[in-house]
Amino acid sequence: MPRPHHTTTFTASDGALLTLTSSLPISSPDPSYIPTSPILTFTGPTATTTAGTRARSASKASVIAEEGPNYSRLILLLHGFSGSSEYFERNFRELGERHWVVAWDMRGHGGSGLRRKKRGKKGVEGEGQYESYEGGYHVARLAVDLKNMLDFLKTSRLGLGVGHAGAGGGCQGQGPKPPLEIVGVGCSIGAAILWTYVELFTDADFSGFVFVDQAPLQDRSMFGEWDETKANKGCYDEKTMLGAQAAWNKASEDRHATHLALLDECLGYRFHPLPTDQVSEEEKKRDEAFFTAISAQCPSGAWLARLIADHTRYDHREACEGITKPVVVMGGKRSGCFSLEGMEEVVKRCRRSGNEKAEVSWYESGHWLFWEEAERFNGEVLEFARRCWSE
């Protein structure tokens, strides 16, 4: 059964046009909205920003609206490298039965592509014309994109009700809106984007974080006893990174072998098959067609190759120490990307700074555990969100 969804676009602060998928309809944002990067703060029951006036109740109880999807509680799904929002095909519907769910296509992926509005000779924006966007292949740029998306979603809520959404969409509410309570679910590079977000903007916008199968540093390092037991299993130094770049630096029609190699790393039954696996040959073929088609949507192999270099070298360990909100780290025992020891470092760093609300959850599958063990994943995310929003 196809997932219920509403697709829309927003413009990042540098002009890139990005796509997101929402479980609830999203109205056009306030026309005065301009993407910005500063942290949104509230000095009392109400506060004013450049995007308009938002009201925040001082009562935590008022944040929890009636049961069912509403515009005050958001589960935000961030996919991995060369993926898209389609990765969450097995998660979107079940999570969306109780909460507002949004998944984006990060720039350079899925429907977002790599385009921005074309500028004329005098800096005048061209009418309906576009040029290729060649920059933005940094995790920090993706974190700013995330900030722009959250500002867009918050602004869109100004014209939406926060109660239960019926068949006609959100109820048109009057009066102040409660704050947007967000649980961020970052898979692979999606986790890295969330760590960078915390480093740049703090964790104030979030109620909790789920980090899925990603260690806080892919490279091996002379600092902090970070060797082959904790780093990425296949891309961990200059030589292996250059090999990965060569594999991705191709046109999409020439990258099929690279896309297949990605499946071999990310699906547990391919990376480390077991006699107990109950995956039919037909299902294996469907999985292969599904994931390779998504990777093929990425328009620029050169852009992906540059992104992977930045991602591989980016050390997020200290950023994890800045997380004050609840955390769960999910990892696959058959992941071809990371060891459990490497992923557990996130929890150790959180606790080092006094955050005792950090825990692990190990799965029997691989890097894409949200796909292979979707039922368990959905249940744990829902339970984690419930805890975040009831404390």
Side-chain angles (χ1 to χ4, degrees):
M1 182 179 296
R3 60 180 177 173
H5 68 273
H6 306 269
T7 301
T8 190
T9 59
F10 68 98
T11 305
S13 55
D14 66 345
L17 190 66
L18 307 181
T19 300
L20 65 86
T21 300
S22 170
S23 63
L24 297 178
I26 300 177
S27 69
S28 298
D30 185 326
S32 66
Y33 169 72
I34 300 174
T36 55
S37 295
I39 303 168
L40 294 176
T41 58
F42 297 86
T43 58
T46 62
T48 302
T49 71
T50 56
T53 300
R54 299 182 179 88
R56 181 168 192 164
S57 169
S59 171
K60 179 70 175 178
S62 67
V63 175
I64 307 301
E66 64 183 271
E67 288 300 319
N70 65 81
Y71 292 99
S72 66
R73 297 177 295 174
L74 172 64
I75 294 177
L76 183 66
L77 303 174
L78 305 178
H79 64 79
F81 182 84
S82 84
S84 79
S85 59
E86 292 182 76
Y87 267 21
F88 303 109
E89 184 70 33
R90 294 180 174 178
N91 319 112
F92 209 87
R93 175 176 290 277
E94 185 172 349
L95 298 178
E97 287 178 355
R98 302 189 191 180
H99 304 296
W100 183 20
V101 180
V102 169
W104 73 348
D105 291 351
M106 77 169 91
R107 72 169 65 208
H109 295 69
S112 290
L114 288 171
R115 299 195 304 175
R116 65 177 178 180
K117 291 187 177 180
K118 189 174 183 178
R119 303 285 175 174
K121 292 182 179 180
K122 296 183 180 180
V124 179
E125 192 172 282
E127 282 291 331
Q129 297 184 25
Y130 295 86
E131 62 183 0
S132 295
Y133 187 87
E134 296 182 349
Y137 40 78
H138 301 97
V139 177
R141 176 64 252 185
L142 300 177
V144 174
D145 289 346
L146 174 58
K147 185 72 174 75
N148 295 156
M149 181 173 71
L150 294 186
D151 286 349
F152 169 80
L153 294 174
K154 290 174 182 178
T155 304
S156 299
R157 292 171 71 244
L158 295 176
L160 296 170
V162 295
H164 182 75
C171 303
Q172 295 301 313
Q174 300 296 324
K177 304 292 191 295
L180 178 57
E181 300 286 330
I182 307 168
V183 168
V185 181
C187 303
S188 195
I189 196 174
I193 294 168
L194 288 173
W195 293 324
T196 306
Y197 189 100
V198 171
E199 187 173 21
L200 294 175
F201 308 114
T202 80
D203 64 357
D205 282 325
F206 290 86
S207 301
F209 299 93
V210 180
F211 302 122
V212 181
D213 212 81
Q214 175 71 40
L217 174 59
Q218 297 209 158
D219 263 359
R220 297 174 186 178
S221 174
M222 67 176 68
F223 303 104
E225 300 181 347
W226 200 259
D227 57 17
E228 67 275 6
T229 65
K230 296 180 180 179
N232 188 277
K233 295 178 180 180
C235 187
Y236 50 80
D237 60 10
E238 184 73 9
K239 181 179 179 180
T240 54
M241 185 273 293
L242 289 174
Q245 282 191 306
W248 286 98
N249 186 24
K250 302 173 183 177
S252 59
E253 62 269 21
D254 299 323
R255 293 199 310 256
H256 189 64
T258 305
H259 301 161
L260 289 176
L262 182 69
L263 265 72
D264 291 340
E265 294 176 354
C266 296
L267 288 171
Y269 67 78
R270 291 177 71 123
F271 178 73
H272 186 66
L274 295 175
T276 53
D277 287 334
Q278 297 181 349
V279 185
S280 67
E281 291 302 316
E282 182 180 358
E283 186 175 357
K284 290 178 182 178
K285 291 179 180 178
R286 286 200 303 267
D287 286 354
E288 185 172 300
F290 179 76
F291 285 108
T292 56
I294 292 174
S295 291
Q297 292 175 17
C298 298
S300 172
W303 190 90
L304 289 174
R306 290 185 171 192
L307 176 61
I308 203 170
D310 186 73
H311 176 40
T312 297
R313 292 167 170 156
Y314 208 139
D315 191 342
H316 302 276
R317 288 176 291 178
E318 286 78 13
C320 294
E321 297 178 18
I323 301 174
T324 64
K325 305 297 175 61
V327 166
V328 60
V329 174
M330 298 181 179
K333 295 179 181 179
R334 290 192 281 168
S335 171
C337 300
F338 297 100
S339 67
L340 303 185
E341 291 80 6
M343 291 182 276
E344 194 171 18
E345 182 74 10
V346 177
V347 171
K348 291 180 179 178
R349 293 281 178 158
C350 289
R351 291 178 176 172
R352 176 182 295 183
S353 60
N355 183 358
E356 295 299 324
K357 296 180 180 180
E359 58 191 35
V360 299
S361 181
W362 303 138
Y363 283 63
E364 300 301 322
S365 51
H367 188 63
W368 290 335
L369 56 89
F370 54 86
W371 180 264
E372 293 187 88
E373 296 182 74
E375 184 176 356
R376 176 184 169 185
F377 173 85
N378 296 341
E380 290 193 2
V381 169
L382 288 171
E383 172 58 23
F384 177 73
R386 186 196 64 77
R387 296 202 310 270
C388 289
W389 289 323
S390 62
E391 295 178 354

